[in-house]
């Protein structure tokens, strides 16, 4: 792409996504400026996605843009942060035509509007490899109030929002390995819903929290390690959608199937710890408890199980 084309395209595709934020300088400067917000900390998170690793080859470009934003907002949600802005780096692969680039930008724009944040800057490059993009998301929390992974205390209960397992079954559905009547599982895989609605509740009551991206077991293990406590997870309590419950009934080894649902990831729900005295909030399920000790103990089908890795890993 010639220089003129590259910068013309940045202006055409991405300037609308700044949504008029003055700190973006219309995407014409070397950098952006973020004014401080009194009494607040800026929470910063970054996740990348790669074609064939995070979404199927041939996925619609608008869905890629939306998923990229949503997985990052999920981390802000778990930290009880209020989304404020983001930065985008995108590497266009060969064959990703101008129409595809426009659709990627339109998808991202639609969700920036939905979640009320602005694009303040980024970088646009080309790649001989697969589509790759990364987004840095920024959000505000009252000073010192980001919910950490490290605050779980013995006696706390472990709770998870929504349902677990639709992400991994949705990928099975998209790749044709299971039937998905009505397409709900595939929809949940393609359109994670960042749980920004939980902000007040987490700020008020959670001692620790994380979003479920790698897999419930792995993400709970992160909380146990960071907090220096032991966590006991009971997969028989796993909250399941109708589709996941139907799938589970058909599995020959229920314990192994539960471990799969709790290790597959792509759920983008929030798992948190709350003191035992706090009433279980609506929409949350108690899946375990915190004790003194270290690491994770997992039960399924009424007996202890070896959870293995418990989540997705790249290396
Ligand atoms: N390349 C890297 N450079 C610096 N820090 C990194 C890098 N990769 C990961 N981290 C840091 O490691 C920690 C864990 O990152 P991780 O990506 O596993 O968290 P996550 O975003 O919650 O999970 P997921 O990536 O599955 O959505 C975070 O503090 C993250 O900033
Ligand atoms: C095509 C395809 N194959 C597999 C998966 C599953 N997957 C890939 S990375 C990841 C963890 C979160 O990402 P990260 O830790 O890299 O931020 C998960 C659950 C997928 N989403 N799409
Ligand atoms: Mg990450
Ligand atoms: Mg993440
Ligand atoms: Mg996370």
């Amino acid at each position: 792409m010639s220089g003129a084309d590259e910068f013309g395209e940045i202006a055409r595709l991405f300037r609308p996504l700044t949504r008029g934020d003055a700190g973006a300088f219309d995407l014409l400067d070397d950098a952006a400026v973020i004014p401080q917000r009194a009494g607040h900390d800026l929470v910063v998170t970054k996740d990348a996605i790669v074609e064939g690793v995070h979404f199927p080859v041939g996925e619609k470009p608008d869905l890629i843009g939306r998923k990229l934003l949503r997985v990052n907002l999920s981390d802000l949600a778990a930290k009880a942060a209020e989304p404020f802005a983001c930065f985008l780096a995108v590497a266009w692969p060969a064959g990703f035509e101008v129409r595809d680039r426009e659709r990627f930008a339109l998808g991202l724009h639609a969700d920036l509007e939905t979640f009320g944040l602005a694009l303040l800057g980024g970088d646009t490059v080309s790649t001989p490899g697969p589509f790759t993009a990364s987004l840095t998301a920024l959000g505000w929390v009252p000073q010192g109030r980001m919910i950490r992974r490290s605050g779980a205390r013995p006696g706390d209960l472990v709770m998870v929002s929504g349902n677990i397992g639709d992400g991994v079954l949705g990928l099975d559905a998209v790749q044709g390995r299971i039937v998905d009547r009505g397409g709900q599982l595939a929809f949940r895989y393609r359109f994670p819903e960042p749980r920004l609605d939980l902000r007040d509740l987490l700020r008020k009551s959670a001692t620790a929290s994380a979003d479920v991206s790698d897999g419930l077991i792995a993400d709970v293990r992160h909380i146990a390690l960071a907090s220096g406590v032991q966590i006991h997870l009971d997969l028989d309590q796993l909250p399941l959608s109708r589709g996941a419950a139907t799938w589970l009934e058909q599995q020959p080894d229920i314990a192994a199937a539960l471990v799969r649902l709790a290790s597959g990831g792509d759920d983008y729900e929030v798992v948190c710890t709350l003191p035992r005295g706090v009433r279980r909030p609506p929409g949350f399920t108690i899946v375990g408890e915190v004790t003194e000790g270290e690491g994770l103990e997992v039960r399924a089908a009424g007996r202890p199980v070896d959870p293995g890795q418990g989540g997705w890993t790249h290396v």
Side-chain angles (χ1 to χ4, degrees):
M1 204 185 293
S2 77
D5 282 346
E6 181 183 331
F7 301 115
E9 194 164 292
I10 290 168
R12 195 165 59 78
L13 296 192
F14 294 127
R15 188 178 295 150
L17 281 61
T18 66
R19 304 176 68 232
D21 192 297
F25 304 120
D26 287 334
L27 304 182
L28 291 170
D29 214 310
D30 298 288
V33 166
I34 297 168
Q36 291 188 17
R37 181 160 155 189
H40 288 75
D41 290 334
L42 196 53
V43 174
V44 185
T45 186
K46 176 181 202 62
D47 269 325
I49 58 174
V50 177
E51 179 174 39
V53 177
H54 295 88
F55 60 87
V57 175
E59 185 64 294
K60 292 200 180 100
D62 56 324
L63 298 191
I64 305 171
R66 296 178 73 177
K67 182 151 184 177
L68 176 62
L69 179 62
R70 284 162 180 255
V71 301
N72 278 281
L73 291 180
S74 176
D75 279 303
L76 288 187
K79 303 297 99 178
E82 177 193 337
F84 155 66
C86 64
F87 290 81
L88 167 73
V90 62
W92 305 128
F96 209 79
E97 306 294 342
V98 65
R99 231 185 11 260
D100 301 318
R101 303 197 287 270
E102 284 167 1
R103 286 185 181 144
F104 172 82
L106 283 172
L108 180 59
H109 194 177
D111 272 354
L112 289 172
E113 295 281 348
T114 298
F115 297 107
L117 69 166
L119 179 70
L120 295 188
D123 198 17
T124 304
V125 299
S126 58
T127 175
F131 181 104
T132 303
S134 104
L135 190 130
T136 304
L138 297 83
W140 298 112
V141 291
Q143 207 159 27
R145 297 286 306 283
M146 186 182 93
I147 319 287
R148 305 278 313 274
R149 290 179 177 178
S150 57
R153 292 293 166 259
D156 288 353
L157 293 175
V158 182
M159 305 198 194
V160 68
S161 64
N163 293 320
I164 292 296
D166 288 4
V168 66
L169 294 182
L171 177 61
D172 280 351
V174 165
Q175 295 184 332
R177 286 189 292 271
I178 63 168
V179 220
D180 178 22
R181 266 181 255 294
Q184 280 99 341
L185 295 171
F187 181 82
R188 290 270 295 148
Y189 165 76
R190 289 198 158 108
F191 283 106
E193 191 64 46
R195 297 305 305 268
L196 294 159
D197 57 311
L198 304 178
R199 189 182 313 143
D200 291 346
L201 173 95
L202 293 172
R203 282 187 189 169
K204 197 164 142 220
S205 307
T207 50
S209 92
D211 67 324
V212 183
S213 53
D214 284 334
L216 180 69
I217 291 169
D219 290 311
V220 167
R221 191 183 276 135
H222 289 144
I223 291 180
L225 281 174
S227 300
V229 296
Q230 186 165 48
I231 294 187
H232 305 258
L233 259 189
D234 181 1
L235 300 186
D236 293 326
Q237 308 307 318
L238 215 58
L240 301 178
S241 69
R242 191 184 286 264
T246 303
W247 175 85
L248 183 65
E249 278 166 18
Q250 295 161 357
Q251 301 311 303
D253 181 344
I254 297 295
L258 285 167
V259 169
R260 179 154 193 265
L261 295 177
S263 310
D266 274 332
D267 295 300
Y268 303 105
E269 293 293 342
V270 168
V271 62
C272 60
T273 53
L274 284 86
R276 215 169 270 262
V278 175
R279 255 174 98 102
R280 179 181 59 81
F284 274 85
T285 305
I286 299 172
V287 291
E289 60 179 358
V290 182
T291 63
E292 283 179 19
E294 60 181 37
L296 192 62
E297 296 283 320
V298 183
R299 297 177 69 85
R303 57 182 166 81
V305 291
D306 174 2
Q309 292 262 27
W312 178 275
T313 50
H314 293 280
V315 287

